[in-house]
Amino acid sequence: MESYVREDKEKCEFSVHRSVFTNEQILEEEWKEIFSKCWLFIGHESELPKKGDFKRKKVGGRNLIFTRGNDEIIRALYNSCPHRGALVCREDEGNTKVFRCFYHAWTFKNDGELVGMPGKDGFPDAFNCDGSKNLTEVTHLESYRGFMFVNFAEHAVSLEEYLGNAKEYIDLVADQSEAGMELLNDPQEYSVRANWKLISENSVDLYHGMPTHKTYFDIKAKQDPGITKVVLEGKGTDLGNGHAVIEYKAPWGRPVAHWTPAWAEDDRQEIDEIKNRLIDRFGEERAERIASYNRNILIFPNLIINDIMAVTVRTYYPVRPDYMEVTGYALAPKDESKKFRLRRNDNFLEFLGPGGFATPDDNEALELCQEGYLNNFEVEWNDISKGMNREQPHATDEEQMRSFWRKWNDIITKAKAKEEVKI
Amino acid sequence: MTVTHQEIVDFLYHEAELLDEWKLEEWAALFTDDGKYLIPPIGNPDADPAQSIFYIDDNRARLEERAKRLLKKEAHVEYPHSTTLRNIHNVRVKNREGNSISVRCNFSAYRTKREVLDCFVGVLDYKLLVTDNKIVIQEKKATLKLDSLRPHGKISLIL
Ligand code: FES
Ligand SMILES: [Fe+2]
């Protein structure tokens, strides 16, 4: 069996075969082995503050209702009527006691239980005694510090175990406010005409920062001439299980709690207060890490938490090998002052949003890679070796991408081997 | 001075033409010093910028940066420049007060690059000012009438 990923530690060479970005069969494997078996981000607890709150979500290609029942329990229900299959929930979000399928008007409580059917006399008394006509609930839904994940597999390791070393970094984000963090309204839904794995790479790729985002840094440098002198210094780390992180000193302002000359002098006081609260809670060293360091966290396969000039939570799914759908959320401290919230949101849309000065260029880079894969017959391999010659890879190296590819390769190679045995 | 409906329409056509011809600095110069250019979240045109992330929320300085950036070779997404075409329709004057005029119109904007055509449609709300016999823009808000930014993937052109 040929391999898609080659790692040669001696030669410091790591390559990925470009067919993984174009091949239909590989996409099929990914749906079966990755998106149907890994823990996938569905949303944040803060999205459902009240009983009856719900949001419609598409996760792993499934149509789900993310809902808080009258019993206060958060569930993920398959949005499909047990009768003939129609979507029972058509609104994107809202608050409701019941979901009513319009086709034949079966009605379900917000915990999924079937409570009403017109023409009940046509069904035996024992109908639905086993609950099989309730909305089906996703078996595995777990939360880690407010971040909620589903898993569609029959048997799954616990979320805690799955996240492993990545928990440390999620903690650094979740700890930013004693009041908790919240996902803001109106996620940005966009797309990229490229393979989904290219976003997993790009989101933890600091190497491309300068060449791709020069225009952004030029604009920032006018506000704070010091910004270009800050070397993007830090580490790239394989966290195991396909998760990875880059952590590096922030060259820009962070609303929690790193001041920049681009902001007004009197904002400094508020920043100091936030910082002091962090010091009280976590001590000098950890407070400094939370406040002044950036983290781009990749949770395998498709969750990115970018804790940079604002915090994005981003997921993405393939539609075709060369087309993906992206959903980007903004995460922020619940108790943030209006002034800093606006500043944070301004940072977000300026760099991270699809109308900003950076994300569209990332989008373009990925699309150009995808176009380059038209040459796959003759030019077969991607190079992902940067930093293999170093004991501790830098944040601008590519160790964090290798981590993703090791896991990806492990899953896909095992699946292929099984299939070959069957044949 | 009173401005006629036709003069307003002509002004909007002129703005669209500047954008289609990539005369972006001239476009930025149409705005007042306190001018704003906004694109609210899809489906939530009255969103609060502290509760939701806008696509664009530019003050005068940043809309000028936006214009300048898009003219640079390093604005990779628009290099080489895409081909764009903007249409303005259904122009309604909503309100006139002194020298300020609120105008609403529908728009469609097409962008093609690498043989892919993207179409943006929506409503533009303008706050225009008439000063020294000239129309200037105090605020331009583009409300997209789309379900999402799919398949466009980005808003790299000025709408
Ligand atoms: S399909 Fe839902 S009630 Fe018939
Ligand atoms: Fe980037």
Side-chain angles (χ1 to χ4, degrees), chain A residues 299-311:
Chain A
I299 307 292
F300 189 88
N302 67 336
L303 171 65
I304 303 291
I305 304 172
N306 279 335
D307 175 17
I308 44 182
M309 66 292 283
V311 186

Side-chain angles (χ1 to χ4, degrees), chain B residues 2-104:
Chain B
T2 45
V3 184
T4 64
H5 188 87
Q6 188 57 48
E7 283 169 318
I8 292 168
V9 172
D10 287 344
F11 174 79
L12 299 180
Y13 288 172
H14 169 64
E15 188 210 349
E17 192 169 28
L18 287 179
L19 290 171
D20 282 339
E21 291 176 353
W22 287 87
K23 294 180 179 159
L24 303 185
E25 286 178 291
E26 289 89 330
W27 169 78
L30 296 178
F31 284 77
T32 58
D33 288 344
D34 63 349
K36 295 202 82 175
Y37 166 50
L38 309 165
I39 302 184
I42 288 172
N44 193 1
D46 304 316
D48 169 2
Q51 295 300 327
S52 303
I53 305 288
F54 279 49
Y55 288 102
I56 293 175
D57 184 356
D58 285 354
N59 58 18
R60 170 57 203 257
R62 191 157 64 193
L63 69 87
E64 200 169 304
E65 295 291 3
R66 183 176 297 278
K68 282 197 202 132
R69 175 186 120 81
L70 288 172
L71 294 172
K72 290 183 183 167
K73 191 177 172 182
E74 294 90 2
H76 308 287
V77 67
E78 286 297 341
Y79 181 84
H81 285 166
S82 55
T83 304
T84 66
L85 186 132
R86 292 163 178 81
N87 284 315
I88 306 291
H89 336 258
N90 303 36
V91 179
R92 308 72 109 184
V93 173
K94 300 303 261 188
N95 195 31
R96 289 185 192 246
E97 239 167 87
N99 62 347
S100 82
I101 313 170
S102 315
V103 178
R104 175 172 294 180

Side-chain angles (χ1 to χ4, degrees), chain B residues 112-132:
Chain B
T112 171
K113 191 178 188 197
R114 295 202 300 276
E115 291 168 345
V116 175
L117 179 69
D118 283 313
C119 176
F120 298 82
V121 294
V123 171
L124 296 171
D125 279 295
Y126 287 92
K127 285 185 192 141
L128 302 176
L129 276 186
V130 186
T131 51
D132 309 326

Side-chain angles (χ1 to χ4, degrees), chain A residues 224-252:
Chain A
D224 169 17
I227 197 169
T228 47
K229 285 184 218 109
V230 181
V231 204
L232 294 173
E233 232 177 315
K235 299 185 294 187
T237 311
D238 177 342
L239 297 172
N241 284 353
H243 315 316
V245 71
I246 49 177
E247 196 173 21
Y248 52 103
K249 192 115 178 100
W252 40 64

Side-chain angles (χ1 to χ4, degrees), chain A residues 216 220 253-255 263 309-310 342-353, chain B residues 62:
Chain A
Y216 173 81
K220 290 284 115 178
R254 286 167 52 85
W263 297 347
M309 66 292 283
L342 286 169
R343 180 147 282 157
R344 168 188 300 276
N345 289 357
D346 201 56
N347 281 350
F348 189 108
L349 66 92
E350 186 178 64
F351 187 91
L352 297 155
Chain B
R62 191 157 64 193

Side-chain angles (χ1 to χ4, degrees), chain A residues 58-306:
Chain A
K58 205 167 164 191
V59 181
R62 279 83 166 168
N63 265 311
L64 304 181
I65 317 171
F66 185 44
T67 166
R68 187 187 284 274
N70 279 4
D71 55 2
E72 290 287 356
I73 293 172
I74 294 182
R75 294 181 177 80
L77 304 171
Y78 290 95
N79 188 4
S80 176
C81 184
H83 183 223
R84 215 83 102 237
L87 289 188
V88 295
C89 171
R90 291 176 286 165
E91 292 90 4
D92 289 336
E93 58 182 67
N95 183 282
T96 189
K97 289 204 168 68
V98 291
F99 298 105
R100 188 157 192 256
C101 177
F102 84 80
Y103 195 6
H104 311 87
W106 284 22
T107 305
F108 307 86
K109 280 202 307 189
N110 55 17
D111 60 7
E113 189 194 334
L114 176 65
V115 287
M117 306 144 74
K120 250 193 129 198
D121 53 346
F123 300 93
D125 286 345
F127 193 72
N128 197 33
C129 271
D130 59 354
S132 64
K133 309 293 174 181
N134 297 335
L135 292 177
T136 308
E137 192 176 335
V138 177
T139 336
H140 305 288
L141 170 74
E142 286 181 27
S143 168
Y144 183 73
R145 307 234 32 205
F147 292 87
M148 301 198 75
F149 294 73
V150 288
N151 192 313
F152 301 116
E154 203 176 325
H155 305 287
V157 297
S158 72
L159 178 64
E160 290 242 358
E161 191 185 327
Y162 181 82
L163 293 175
N165 297 333
K167 284 186 291 180
E168 176 188 345
Y169 291 87
I170 296 176
D171 290 343
L172 291 166
V173 177
D175 281 341
Q176 290 181 7
S177 155
E178 51 269 69
M181 304 293 281
E182 61 182 350
L183 272 199
L184 305 197
N185 300 327
D186 300 303
Q188 299 186 322
E189 297 181 312
Y190 53 105
S191 60
V192 188
R193 290 168 171 126
N195 187 270
W196 69 277
K197 298 185 284 301
L198 293 174
I199 275 219
S200 297
E201 286 187 349
N202 173 267
S203 303
V204 289
D205 176 359
L206 203 58
Y207 189 24
H208 81 283
M210 260 310 161
T212 299
H213 303 308
K214 182 175 182 300
T215 58
Y216 173 81
F217 283 103
D218 286 349
I219 290 166
K220 290 284 115 178
K222 277 196 222 160
Q223 300 159 0
D224 169 17
I227 197 169
T228 47
K229 285 184 218 109
V230 181
V231 204
L232 294 173
E233 232 177 315
K235 299 185 294 187
T237 311
D238 177 342
L239 297 172
N241 284 353
H243 315 316
V245 71
I246 49 177
E247 196 173 21
Y248 52 103
K249 192 115 178 100
W252 40 64
R254 286 167 52 85
V256 59
H258 184 78
W259 187 80
T260 160
W263 297 347
E265 192 58 42
D266 46 309
D267 291 341
R268 233 176 170 150
Q269 203 191 330
E270 192 170 338
I271 285 280
D272 286 344
E273 280 162 22
I274 304 173
K275 179 85 179 275
N276 284 334
R277 289 209 308 271
L278 288 173
I279 294 172
D280 287 346
R281 288 165 68 209
F282 302 113
E284 196 71 59
E285 198 180 321
R286 185 172 167 83
E288 171 68 10
R289 191 171 171 208
I290 291 174
S292 301
Y293 280 77
N294 292 308
R295 278 161 286 277
N296 298 45
I297 311 165
L298 161 59
I299 307 292
F300 189 88
N302 67 336
L303 171 65
I304 303 291
I305 304 172
N306 279 335

